[in-house]
Amino acid sequence: MIAPRSDQTAAPIGRVVATELRPSTPHQFHFWTATETSIGIGAIVKVGDGSQESGDRVVYGVVTEGFAYSDLATPLHDVVGAEGDPARATDAPTARHQIRYWTAAVLRQTPEEPLQPVPLGQVFVADDADVAQALRMDAFLYSATPTAIPVGLYTAAGRDAPVYLDADFLLGPEAAHLNISGMSGLATKTSAVEFLLASIFAHFPSHKGRVAAVCFNVKGPDLCFLDQPGDLTEEDRRRYARLGVPAEPFRNVRLFAPLKADGVNLNTLRTHPDLVDDVEPLTWGLQEVVDFAEVLLNRDDIDAKADAFIDFLRDRVLGRTFDDGFGTTHRVQTFADLAGFFRSIFDGLEIIAGGRSDTWRTHHIATMRKVRNRLLNISTRCKGLVTDDGPSSDLPWKGFEDRTVYVIDIANVDPLGQDLVFARVVSKLREQLERRELGVDAVVVFVDELNKYAPGDGPDTYVKKMLLDISERGRYLGLVLFGAEQFRSQVHRRVVGNAGTQIFGRMDMDELATPGYQVLTPATKSKLATLPIGELMVRHPHFTQPIFVRFPKPPVLRGRDGVERFPPAADVPFEEAVVRQLVRLDRRVRPNQVKDLIADREHDDVRRALAAARQKRPDDAFAYFRKVLGARVESETQDAREHHAVPPLNPIADEPY
Amino acid sequence: MTWWQQLIRAGAVPGSGSKSDEPEAADHADLVEGTELQAHPLADGAQIPATVSFLNGMERWRIRAYDGVIPLVDAYIAAAVRRRDERGVLHTTAVRSRAFAVAAVASMPPTLRESLEGAAGDIAPVDGEFVGQPARYLEQVESIVRRARAHLERELAEAATLDLGTDEWLVLDGRLSRSPSVARHPRALGVIKSHGAQFLEGRGLERALTLPAGHRTSVFAVRGGHTRTETYSWYLRLWPWEGNDLLYGLLRVEARAHADTVARASEISAWLWAERAPLATPATRWDRLLYPLHQVAEYLKALAPRELHAQRAARLPRTGT
């Protein structure tokens, strides 16, 4: 991993200087270099050569500020010398004395105790071994059970050295979570996360167990082609080799997308005929939705009465045989059943009770109407994700596989539906990780646009509470949040504050002017504002100062390129879509047979039969489909469904504990 | 209106300044260019030699102890040659220094003398006649140190001229005539900024001292300095003197006594005129100090022992904050 230290003695590139006005301290020192030097802001340097001046002390530092000045006493003298003509200023035969003067923040001192001011001495460019020492990576890189995850290459002075994160502090349990922020399109946030996931999958130590990733694709085709190879340059491949990460796309990717409103076409941009077979439908019924009813209620809706009525539905009505008191017995298993249930109650209050009462079982009719509207509304707004009827198609709960990426494409789903998907998936992950029954020991959840899902201000939504919960308690469970946003200052401070590892791409100057960046020097801010694509600033618990690294382009097809190479197919007619889905299940299926079979059938019946076939995956798909279509397709029996109440989330408060 | 304003209105040139350079003895100069000293405008387009070396020196001394009323002085002198590369950056090619004690050894008690001779290997003696008069004694010390510096610079200049490349020039701060070999070198120039020694008189002197900026005088032959080697010389005005004193921006240039010097005086003057920038600030005589020579002096100051740096004005402890 780390190249052995060269026996050849490196030439010093600078010298520490300390004056009364600008002395060395235990945390900062100053040095000068030749005018033409290869180091710059972010370079890691080493002070100490065992000379009498520096003694046995070795100090590692990162350059945080640079100064250049000449012996010019006042700018006016330059004007006079050039006789007021800037063109003549360059005619001066002698170049003025100049200095390159640098300020470095101490990364590490050896010995660490007693902590002393940095001694005078020669300054050297850090080599691989020095970088490992400086960033305290030696503890987790050279231990018997290494936990090093490459994050990129530190590049300075014509050298590069791998920089590693500690898996114990990236994925738990010591610390966890990663937050990445930067300008849209220039900070390469998604690319960085894709590379880091590849790096985690390649280097996550076996003694720490199994790891998977769940990525929510919330915009365009960003994460739709993680299994397809992208174009890499020779330099990218060299960087992959240097970091020990295979330059290849993810081997195991499962992509889930809801259906469109027609119930048969997939609501994703990965619909090219060559790829669409790999996309699995994501559809949920009433049972999956109702546990997260709070997601569907806006702030004004949340009150004790609505909560009480939802609890009543959940505990007494759903999946049970229930007498409404007006002479009708209900068994509510679908949205259609729920609609009938509400209709029966409202009719009962109007007709049977003669409109004299506006309460039913202590619940006010207005509360019931509000809850009914919110619940039934979701099946309309998110048609395709939420089905009125029929079986659901879900993630492989309890069957997550090691080093697999699960992409959930909700880019084209109504925002309310996105919230619902996010809330339910994360809750299920948390629930199953708590029970150690998910199939993996750690899950990275990648959420882009944290500005939207966990804003620093605005209402306390269920999703925000959930993100806070992951941030504060996820590391104990192995539930790790990789969040990305454009403006870190606008994300809830406890979400970003709990991220053990923080990465910054190119930043907007306005963002850098916010208080969260006050610890950075003006030079570092300036570098952040002009970072090239592929370079990031990393903060990690082991690093006492931010470090700049370069990472290779991710080995996967970028979303934009993917759409160009695999243009999405147009929606196909209902019959054709049914045929394709059945052929996908069983290649022996004959299209004409299917079309003849469904020619005069209700679409809802066909959808139910198709969903049943998808869920069952029988050997003879057509025979099973025909059999199911022959009769009313019963929904999955819910009696035996074990209701796992999702642990309540703590209310958002300023005090996290 | 003041009386001098009235005079300026009547035709006098505005000026300023106070005490000028200390007068020095000088021989009469013989004009070698033309029949009368004239002001010549400089040639257009300076031809600056590709490679030029600059020589300058420095001196420092401080009283370290007293033997009765006799000061015991610690002295340091140094000289350096720095070559200018094609990017205009100076690089040191030669540097010499000497640290020595200055003391009236013969007048010292035996114990102190033995101790001084044992501890300070290099001692410059002061004549016993100055003992007992501290003011004259210190003038003598200063003279000894200055002579030692001149000697060091002469040695270095002689060595530097031997190492000069085919097209390389040597510009040194002060008179060229200190060394015969240097004074005869075809590509050595002396740049003098003190004008205590006046070689001209009458109308010639007036023309020289009121020379307009961007002009040089006719070339004249001078003999002077320790070696009495003849050199050719001329005055060159770098900055307008009007509003300042007569010597403001005035240089005297020395080159070898050769017809070629006369032929190239305008070309060389144009080159030195181009050396006005960068300004040699914050040196007090920046108006006639070439920046490369200033830089050599600064280089030597940086090498000088810190304890010999100029004494602070106030002797009270000072903090940097």
Side-chain angles (χ1 to χ4, degrees), chain A residues 356-367:
Chain A
R356 291 187 297 276
S357 172
D358 54 6
T359 58
W360 176 81
R361 302 254 177 136
T362 72
H363 300 292
H364 195 274
I365 191 168
T367 304

Side-chain angles (χ1 to χ4, degrees), chain A residues 219-240:
Chain A
K219 57 178 191 231
D222 270 7
L223 302 169
C224 287
F225 303 97
L226 298 185
D227 57 341
Q228 298 298 316
D231 295 328
L232 298 177
T233 62
E234 278 308 308
E235 175 60 18
D236 288 325
R237 292 186 188 283
R238 188 192 69 78
R239 286 180 183 172
Y240 273 104

Side-chain angles (χ1 to χ4, degrees), chain A residues 20-21 36 71-73 77-78 80-83 88 91-97, chain B residues 48 82 84 87-90 239 274-279 281 291-292 295 319-320:
Chain A
E20 190 179 357
L21 282 174
E36 288 171 10
D71 59 2
L72 186 66
H77 293 171
D78 208 41
V80 173
E83 298 192 63
R88 293 185 63 171
D91 293 342
T94 307
R96 276 194 179 277
H97 256 318
Chain B
I48 301 172
R82 308 196 79 200
R84 185 163 68 193
R87 295 172 305 153
V89 178
L90 297 184
W239 300 96
E275 297 280 359
R276 295 184 311 156
L279 296 192
T281 52
Y291 179 79
Q295 222 191 60
T319 65

